[in-house]
């Protein structure tokens, strides 16, 4: 990881004064509660540790908020300016990039009725997580994050094509059936979905495990084959290509051998997203998926993307986000996925997001990174 750290100041940080960080504070406070009372977050390679966050965590939890957990924007901004120092994180080998994701809502059936033939599957009981996929025990292929435990040892899990062709039929793993294989595929990419049943019930499914096979982005395949230009590839353009080429769509999705298994989860708050990798509900427009090997969950990150319009106002995107999720395709110190929210409107927002971006992390006051960047000499 080659990057540079540069000092920034809140008074001159472009877009900081215009942002409305009340929701970012609410998201940060949830991470503070989890890290303080349940389990601390693993330190990323940038080095921001739980101990360095603890004073800010304690201050956030001591703040008096409304019942919803939100502060007025001015108080939220003052909180971050008091407890953090801005540090630009600039990759030396690549540009920063943001894309978007959301929680889709999918019409489903409890049974494989006519028109509903594409299932969401639970995790097989014998699917085991490999502790260190890059340095696995003998007999496990490098890079396989999950394996099936059997009487004779560990076996590779079937891949997407094999599973969708019936490898787990008869195992009772089906949660519900959708009418569109493309809807199921994109729920796999998002790692979550809300399921709407014909009787009005809404249930949530979230990531439980995956097949272990490496992820392959089909957008990259379409660009490589000249089907979509690199400038226009996005979730929306990929969906359109799949809709326009139904006879080729299944074979294309099979080239992403990674397959996601889900588990049911409650919908306790219609506005908030699912509980994600940081073990707290995602805040629409404020939660950010990052490379968890680099960034510590809970880190506030000010993301600037001049070519992208803000979610709520007619101005360039410049928002304080909180690192609360991750993803296989999110690799690098200035690579992020913006959580746009839940449902079709959020899907339209997320589907069009692909923009160059600049990351300024908010390092806790007194942290080593803040000192290295020239704060508090």
């Amino acid at each position: 990881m080659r990057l540079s750290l540069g000092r920034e100041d809140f008074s001159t940080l472009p877009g900081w004064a215009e942002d409305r960080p009340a929701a970012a504070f609410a998201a940060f406070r949830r991470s503070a509660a989890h890290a303080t009372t349940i389990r601390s977050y693993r330190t990323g390679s940038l080095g921001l540790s739980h101990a360095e966050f603890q004073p800010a965590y304690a201050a956030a939890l001591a703040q008096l908020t409304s019942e919803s957990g939100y502060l007025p924007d001015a108080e939220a901004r003052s909180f971050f300016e008091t407890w953090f120092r801005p540090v630009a994180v600039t990759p030396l080998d690549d540009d920063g990039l943001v894309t978007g994701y959301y929680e889709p809502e999918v019409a489903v059936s409890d049974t494989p009725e006519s028109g509903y033939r594409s299932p969401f599957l639970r995790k097989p009981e014998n699917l085991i997580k490999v502790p260190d996929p890059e340095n696995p025990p003998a007999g496990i292929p490098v890079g396989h994050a999950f394996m099936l435990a059997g009487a004779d040892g560990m076996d590779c899990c079937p891949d997407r094509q094999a599973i969708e062709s019936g490898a787990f039929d008869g195992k009772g793993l089906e949660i519900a059936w959708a009418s569109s294989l493309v809807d199921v595929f994109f729920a796999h990419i998002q790692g979550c979905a809300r399921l709407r049943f014909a009787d009005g019930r809404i249930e949530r499914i979230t990531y439980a495990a995956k097949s272990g096979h490496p992820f392959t982005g089909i957008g990259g395949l379409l660009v490589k084959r000249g089907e979509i230009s690199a400038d226009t590839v996005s979730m929306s353009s990929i969906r359109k290509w799949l809709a326009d080429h139904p006879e080729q769509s299944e074979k294309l999705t099979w080239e992403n051998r990674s397959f996601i298994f889900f588990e049911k989860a409650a919908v306790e708050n219609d506005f908030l997203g699912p509980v994600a990798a940081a073990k707290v509900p995602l805040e629409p427009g404020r939660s950010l998926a990052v490379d968890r090997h680099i960034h510590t969950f809970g880190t506030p990150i000010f993301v600037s993307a001049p070519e992208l319009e803000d979610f709520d106002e007619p101005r360039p995107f410049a928002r304080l986000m909180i690192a609360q999720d991750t993803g296989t395709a999110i690799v690098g110190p200035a690579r992020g996925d913006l959580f746009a929210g839940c449902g079709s409107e959020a899907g339209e927002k997320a589907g069009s997001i692909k923009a160059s971006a600049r990351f300024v992390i908010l390092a806790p006051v007194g942290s080593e990174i803040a000192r290295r960047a020239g704060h508090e000499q």
Side-chain angles (χ1 to χ4, degrees), residues 160-169 254:
R160 178 177 298 279
Q161 179 177 355
I163 294 170
E164 291 182 353
S165 298
F168 288 119
D169 284 2
W254 283 350

Side-chain angles (χ1 to χ4, degrees), residues 93-126:
D93 302 320
D94 206 351
D95 295 327
L97 176 69
V98 288
T99 49
Y101 73 118
Y102 74 112
E103 183 182 36
E105 186 172 291
V106 182
V108 296
S109 171
D110 284 307
T111 59
E113 302 170 359
S114 175
Y116 290 85
R117 296 291 183 182
S118 299
F120 292 100
L121 299 184
R122 296 181 181 84
K123 181 179 80 71
E125 289 186 3
N126 62 332

Side-chain angles (χ1 to χ4, degrees), residues 6-49:
R7 172 173 172 160
E8 296 282 341
D9 291 291
F10 288 117
S11 61
T12 56
L13 185 60
W16 174 258
E18 292 73 38
D19 190 23
R20 302 175 62 182
F25 174 81
F28 178 78
R29 197 170 192 264
R30 291 186 200 103
S31 279
H34 175 85
T36 301
T37 63
I38 300 176
R39 185 176 181 180
S40 62
Y41 294 126
R42 183 178 67 186
T43 302
S45 61
L46 276 179
L48 290 176
S49 68

Side-chain angles (χ1 to χ4, degrees), residues 67-84:
E67 289 185 10
S68 63
Y70 295 87
L71 287 177
D73 288 308
E75 292 183 31
R77 183 177 290 105
S78 177
F79 168 83
F80 288 111
E81 290 177 351
T82 299
W83 293 98
F84 294 92

Side-chain angles (χ1 to χ4, degrees), residues 65-66 102 112 156 170 188 211 272:
T65 66
S66 64
Y102 74 112
C156 288
H188 282 214
S211 64
L272 296 178

Side-chain angles (χ1 to χ4, degrees), residues 14-15 95-98 302-310 313-319 338 353-360:
D95 295 327
L97 176 69
V98 288
F302 192 69
V303 177
S304 302
E307 299 171 1
L308 178 66
E309 186 172 285
D310 184 80
E313 301 179 39
R315 61 180 177 83
F317 190 96
R319 280 192 173 213
L338 311 172
I353 297 172
K354 183 186 179 187
S356 298
R358 183 169 183 261
F359 278 34
V360 175

